[in-house]
Amino acid sequence: MSLSHEIPSYLTSQGIGPWGVYLEQIDRVTPHLGSLARWVETLKRPKRILIVDVPIERDDGTIAHYEGYRIQHNTSRGPGKGGVRFHQDVTLSEVMALSAWMTVKNAAINVPYGGAKGGIRVDPRTLSMGELQRMTRRYTSEINIIIGPTKDIPAPDVNTNEQIMAWMMDTYSMNQGSTSSGVVTGKPISLGGSLGRREATGRGVFVVGCEAADKLGMDLKGVRIAVQGFGNVGGIAARLFAEAGARIVAVQDHQTTVINENGLNVPELQEHVAKYGSVAGFAEAQELTDRTQFWGLDCDILIPAALEQQITGKNAHEIRARIILEGANGPTTPAADDILHDKGVLVVPDVIANAGGVTVSYFEWVQDFSSFFWTEDEINLRLTRIMREAFAAVWQLAEDKKVSLRTAAFIVGCTRVLQAREMRGLYP
Ligand code: NAD
């Protein structure tokens, strides 16, 4: 038996869950990779996995331990890049998949990064601000050995924000002995953050949504949109679509689903969430008693912007939207992809649809290195141009090869990664 192809046990045991979804996506793209397919195993093995223990002293004097991860999936095209998630359901399989999707996304949108991701299995709502800060700083110290402005650059993801990035930047800088703003992106503007970064992912979802609607001859005015997840990505995307004349008819978050056929008032709903932590209890809406009904709601565009594996073989057949814009990473399973394809639903995949965030993260990193900061107009113009061009290229490839937009985006991304792998060669 040849040992060279034996799959390490920590990889096989992650076969189900998000990593399993990612592996199936890679299997689907492999026949389209030509001679580069001989390198495809590279994409099925993360380059580096770091699992860390994150102990903190709680406010009541007890000691709590949390499990933290930082995974660099691939660095063939540049330093690792990807967010950090604080969530009670974070697993190795999830962080592996999220890091791999970053590899494909960064290549598909053509920013000079590899893919990485991090996370801590914790419900941050159970921590005080002091505990949250101590946990963030201890986690940063533990992963300090592999991150850095030219090595791996974290950013915000679910339940992490500008404040968390500021603590990460400060902790890394204290350990280095000098201020290192380029170690994270999504920082506050006062610490070298970029204008437009906070809105960038939602704005990118909006830009590709306009392009997709245009392709289907759909007018945004009066279009009905349902959004799952009303945080950074879903909230901003909803706001931009509403400003363009669309009606946001339903929003689901971790607690409940609110609906209003006449369109929810998005700025007021955002204020409500800022105050109460959820859309629950919003006055000008009804609440769905059964949250699974969300998927069958009558709408034209559906934006999953929460977590992965939400649209599955079980609920995909209920979906009535004509377009799905994947604000979240990995929201649709391959089984659901097949059902949606048969129903004629256009799925704009995560690796293009939500790439606006990493694109402006790239702008932030460039601005930090040059210590020269751009205007918000410049940033939004460049972002819009990059997103439109990426969408157009993927659309054309999908037409030429008669494949889904997901497979087309994976062809673009995986080809770039494996070309870099081949050009660099194996060392030694
Ligand atoms: P966030 O923490 O700002 O918001 C998450 C939202 O999802 C909240 O409204 C929360 O209530 C909701 N949510 C959580 N669990 C849910 C559940 N089980 N059902 C329904 N809703 C639920 O996070 P975010 O930054 O907006 O990230 C959302 C998604 O977008 C994630 O998949 C993330 O990986 C992806 N993403 C984020 C960025 C970014 O720049 N922040 C970039 C690219 C992709």
Side-chain angles (χ1 to χ4, degrees):
M1 186 179 67
S2 155
L3 282 181
S4 61
H5 275 83
E6 197 169 279
I7 309 287
S9 61
Y10 66 88
L11 290 183
T12 49
S13 60
Q14 305 307 319
I16 47 169
W19 180 249
V21 169
Y22 164 76
L23 289 182
E24 197 165 337
Q25 291 168 343
I26 290 298
D27 287 342
R28 289 178 175 209
V29 76
T30 304
H32 301 281
L33 296 177
S35 62
L36 288 170
R38 83 183 177 100
W39 291 97
V40 83
E41 192 69 18
T42 303
L43 296 169
K44 296 184 174 182
R45 296 174 186 237
K47 174 186 174 64
R48 190 174 282 135
I49 295 177
L50 181 60
I51 305 179
V52 295
D53 174 38
V54 185
I56 63 160
E57 187 172 352
R58 302 281 313 248
D59 293 345
D60 65 4
T62 59
I63 309 298
H65 290 257
Y66 302 99
E67 192 167 314
Y69 305 90
R70 185 71 193 172
I71 300 181
Q72 294 164 355
H73 173 261
N74 191 284
T75 56
S76 293
R77 301 181 70 255
K81 184 90 191 82
V84 173
R85 176 174 297 193
F86 291 172
H87 194 275
Q88 61 276 14
D89 297 331
V90 164
T91 60
L92 178 58
S93 169
E94 182 182 54
V95 186
M96 280 164 56
L98 290 168
S99 68
W101 285 320
M102 290 309 298
T103 299
V104 180
K105 183 188 309 179
N106 293 338
I109 203 82
N110 210 6
V111 289
Y113 294 130
K117 203 84 181 191
I120 303 180
R121 191 182 311 144
V122 62
D123 179 357
R125 291 183 179 87
T126 62
L127 302 181
S128 69
M129 278 299 268
E131 291 168 340
L132 187 62
Q133 178 172 178
R134 292 198 288 283
M135 185 189 71
T136 302
R137 288 184 181 279
R138 180 63 191 236
Y139 167 71
T140 309
S141 295
E142 294 294 345
I143 65 166
N144 187 57
I145 46 173
I146 63 167
I147 61 170
T150 59
K151 290 158 82 178
D152 180 2
I153 308 118
D157 192 74
V158 175
N159 291 332
T160 55
N161 56 21
E162 292 174 9
Q163 177 62 76
I164 305 278
M165 293 306 115
W167 290 330
M168 290 189 73
M169 180 276 228
D170 182 68
T171 306
Y172 180 84
S173 298
M174 290 296 102
N175 281 316
Q176 293 296 306
S178 63
T179 295
S180 180
S181 53
V183 66
V184 291
T185 57
K187 297 179 293 294
I189 304 289
S190 56
L191 296 179
S194 176
L195 293 166
R197 173 61 186 91
R198 190 187 299 159
E199 296 81 17
T201 310
R203 185 175 294 281
V205 171
F206 172 69
V207 171
V208 297
C210 293
E211 299 298 298
D214 191 50
K215 291 284 185 198
L216 299 195
M218 212 189 249
D219 185 356
L220 277 190
K221 295 243 173 340
V223 126
R224 290 159 308 156
I225 301 184
V227 187
Q228 188 199 41
F230 198 67
N232 177 278
V233 181
I236 306 271
R239 202 193 75 213
L240 293 173
F241 276 111
E243 284 170 6
R247 268 187 290 156
I248 308 302
V249 294
V251 169
Q252 179 173 84
D253 74 359
H254 64 289
Q255 274 191 17
T256 191
T257 311
V258 290
I259 52 173
N260 184 336
E261 188 47 36
N262 297 319
L264 294 154
N265 182 321
V266 176
E268 280 180 17
L269 188 57
Q270 283 179 312
E271 269 176 43
H272 179 90
V273 171
K275 211 163 160 189
Y276 302 106
S278 165
V279 298
F282 185 59
E284 294 158 46
Q286 295 160 274
E287 286 188 28
L288 277 188
T289 41
D290 175 3
R291 60 185 288 121
T292 62
Q293 287 174 353
F294 174 79
W295 304 107
L297 291 175
D298 196 10
C299 64
D300 306 298
I301 299 179
L302 177 63
I303 307 180
L307 300 172
E308 51 287 337
Q309 290 181 290
Q310 297 298 298
I311 305 176
T312 65
K314 287 200 179 116
N315 59 18
H317 59 275
E318 294 171 29
I319 286 172
R320 292 154 84 177
R322 290 176 67 196
I323 298 176
I324 295 179
L325 301 174
E326 293 188 336
N329 286 304
T332 312
T333 66
D337 264 339
D338 292 342
I339 296 169
L340 295 167
H341 177 265
D342 291 345
K343 280 165 63 92
V345 180
L346 179 66
V347 180
V348 186
D350 46 8
V351 293
I352 290 293
N354 70 33
V358 75
T359 302
V360 177
S361 273
Y362 166 57
F363 297 164
E364 178 174 334
W365 184 72
V366 168
Q367 291 171 84
D368 287 338
F369 268 110
S370 57
S371 297
F372 179 74
F373 291 88
W374 314 347
T375 66
E376 192 159 358
D377 279 351
E378 278 176 283
I379 286 157
N380 288 343
L381 270 172
R382 287 181 198 206
L383 169 66
T384 302
R385 183 173 52 77
I386 288 174
M387 297 298 295
R388 279 193 186 142
E389 286 175 3
F391 180 86
V394 167
W395 183 274
Q396 191 59 50
L397 189 66
E399 296 242 296
D400 292 348
K401 295 213 173 264
K402 310 231 173 318
V403 294
S404 66
L405 289 183
R406 188 183 315 282
T407 298
F410 267 66
I411 293 174
V412 175
C414 295
T415 299
R416 287 192 178 131
V417 175
L418 297 182
Q419 274 170 344
R421 173 72 281 168
E422 188 169 68
M423 288 299 291
R424 288 177 66 155
L426 287 179
Y427 170 83

